[in-house]
Amino acid sequence: MKKVSKTIGLVIVIFIFGSVTVFTALVVLASINAHRASTAEFENLRNLAAARASERGSEEEVEVVQFDALSAEMRAINPDYVGWLRIDGTYVDYPVVRGEDNKRYLNTSFTGERNPNGALFMDFRNLNITITPHLIIYGHNAPQGGLFSELHRFLDSDFLAENDMITLEVNGELLEFTIFDVRLTDVTDYAYHLDFSYSHAFNYFTDRIEAPMRALQIITLSTCTNCSNKDARLIVQGYR
C-alpha cells in the first residue's frame, strides 16, 4: 500500500513539474512570437518611413512641410498616428500613436493587432503637440528587446554624453530635444505633471524637474523597469 502511495505521489510530482515546464515554455514562446511580430511590423513601417524621407530631400525642405507624405500614409494605416520618434545611438525609431486613453496601446500594436509589446503612445492629454508645454510618451520595456527597453542605456553617463538627442517628427516638422535628465523613479514623480492651466505653471514645473531655464518645451519618455515594483519607472527627459 505504501509503495502504491509513493508511486501516486511521484506521478503527481512529475505531472506538476511537467505542467509547470510546459506552461513556462508556452510563456517564453508567446513572448518570442510577440517580439517577432512586433519587430516585423516596425521594420516594415521603418522601410516605409525611409522611402518617404528619401523623397522629401534635405532637412531644410522637411522643416517647411506642413503635412508630409509620411504622416498621411501612417494615418492611413492608423488614424491615431501623431509622429515619428528617434533617439540618437539607439534603435528607437518608431511611429507614435495617441489613443482615447492611456490603456489602448498597452497591448495593441500600431496596426491594431493584439500584442503584449504594444506600441509607443503619447499621453492622451497631449493634444496640440507642437505647443503643449510637456509631452509624455510611454513604451514597454519589452523583455525580448525593442520599443523602450534600450532607454536603460542612458543610465550610463558616458553613453548619455555621446547620445543626447531625441527627435520627434510631427507633420514634417522636426522637434529636437536635448536630454537633460535620466532617472529611476515611480508613477508619483512630478515628471508626469500635465496641468498647465494656472499662471507660471510651466516655470514651476521646470524648476521642480530641474530643467534648463531656457526650456520652451519638455519631453518625457517613460518605461517600466525590471524590478518587481509595478509602479517603478525609468524616465528620460529632454528640452528644446
Side-chain angles (χ1 to χ4, degrees):
M1 188 68 179
K2 289 184 178 180
K3 187 175 181 180
V4 172
S5 298
K6 288 182 178 179
T7 302
I8 294 174
L10 181 60
V11 169
I12 292 173
V13 170
I14 293 174
F15 174 78
I16 293 174
F17 178 78
S19 298
V20 171
T21 302
V22 170
F23 176 77
T24 302
L26 290 175
V27 169
V28 172
L29 181 61
S31 178
I32 292 173
N33 288 337
H35 173 68
R36 287 175 177 172
S38 181
T39 300
E41 176 181 298
F42 286 124
E43 188 61 32
N44 290 335
L45 294 170
R46 285 193 197 99
N47 290 338
L48 179 59
R52 293 296 170 264
S54 66
E55 295 171 1
R56 291 179 303 196
S58 68
E59 288 190 4
E60 289 74 16
E61 292 171 339
V62 172
E63 291 175 353
V64 299
V65 175
Q66 296 301 309
F67 189 82
D68 69 354
L70 174 61
S71 295
E73 197 148 1
M74 288 295 136
R75 284 191 175 92
I77 298 172
N78 185 342
D80 287 342
Y81 172 82
V82 293
W84 197 283
L85 183 73
R86 296 181 178 88
I87 306 178
D88 280 1
T90 75
Y91 50 63
V92 176
D93 185 12
Y94 297 113
V96 179
V97 288
R98 183 182 57 220
E100 67 278 4
D101 54 39
N102 288 337
K103 296 179 180 179
R104 161 72 174 156
Y105 288 100
L106 284 172
N107 298 293
T108 302
S109 74
F110 180 85
T111 57
E113 300 298 322
R114 179 75 176 174
N115 191 308
N117 287 342
L120 296 190
F121 61 95
M122 186 170 289
D123 195 287
F124 74 100
R125 293 166 291 182
N126 287 150
L127 299 179
N128 196 329
I129 297 173
T130 56
I131 66 172
T132 191
H134 181 207
L135 300 172
I136 304 178
I137 299 177
Y138 307 94
H140 281 305
N141 176 22
Q144 301 293 329
L147 296 171
F148 273 171
S149 62
E150 213 172 33
L151 290 188
H152 289 77
R153 297 184 67 186
F154 288 98
L155 292 170
D156 181 336
S157 58
D158 291 335
F159 180 82
L160 174 58
E162 296 178 0
N163 305 281
D164 65 347
M165 293 302 299
I166 300 170
T167 302
L168 180 65
E169 183 178 346
V170 181
N171 293 340
E173 181 179 357
L174 293 178
L175 309 181
E176 296 182 315
F177 300 84
T178 302
I179 297 173
F180 67 89
D181 192 26
V182 182
R183 66 181 181 275
L184 293 168
T185 183
D186 60 42
V187 295
T188 65
D189 197 297
Y190 201 73
Y192 293 101
H193 182 77
L194 283 173
D195 180 10
F196 298 97
S197 59
Y198 52 95
S199 178
H200 305 299
F202 185 66
N203 288 338
Y204 181 73
F205 173 68
T206 54
D207 285 345
R208 284 286 301 271
I209 64 172
E210 299 182 358
M213 292 182 62
R214 60 186 179 278
L216 299 175
Q217 186 179 40
I218 302 296
I219 190 169
T220 298
L221 310 181
S222 173
T223 191
C224 52
T225 70
N226 294 318
C227 68
S228 57
N229 182 358
K230 64 181 179 63
D231 292 330
R233 296 292 184 271
L234 168 70
I235 60 172
V236 175
Q237 293 189 290
Y239 77 96
R240 72 180 186 101

